[in-house]
Amino acid sequence: LSKITHKAAEEARVSCRSVRRDANEKIKLQEKDKKIAEDESFKLQADIQKLTDRYIQTIDQAQAAKDKELTAV
């Protein structure tokens, strides 16, 4: 069961990172089209990275809690 939770957590992390990649690509495209400034682009990418880090941390905490629950039984 621990392997299953690890696999599910890894899939969630990968999904989170792909959302980050897609968002960053959209930002870079808007910057290229001169719809947003370079400074705004860097700020938005930093904000997206912070959100990604927060969600990955949440995923890791959930996995750790579930592993602890499974090993306690």
Side-chain angles (χ1 to χ4, degrees):
L1 289 175
S2 182
K3 288 181 181 181
I4 294 171
T5 59
H6 179 71
K7 184 178 178 184
E10 186 59 32
E11 288 174 2
R13 285 188 212 95
V14 169
S15 177
C16 192
R17 290 182 190 123
S18 71
V19 169
R20 177 191 61 194
R21 186 189 66 239
D22 293 344
N24 283 339
E25 286 175 1
K26 288 180 182 181
I27 290 170
K28 288 177 183 178
L29 183 62
Q30 287 184 349
E31 180 185 353
K32 183 180 174 187
D33 293 342
K34 306 290 184 193
K35 292 182 180 179
I36 59 173
E38 186 176 356
D39 292 342
E40 181 82 13
S41 171
F42 285 122
K43 181 184 179 299
L44 290 171
Q45 289 180 31
D47 290 345
I48 290 170
Q49 183 61 45
K50 287 177 188 174
L51 283 171
T52 303
D53 291 342
R54 189 173 76 202
Y55 283 112
I56 287 178
Q57 183 181 19
T58 303
I59 292 166
D60 291 341
Q61 289 172 348
Q63 179 191 1
K66 193 56 148 173
D67 282 343
K68 185 177 179 182
E69 178 184 327
L70 290 171
T71 57
V73 173

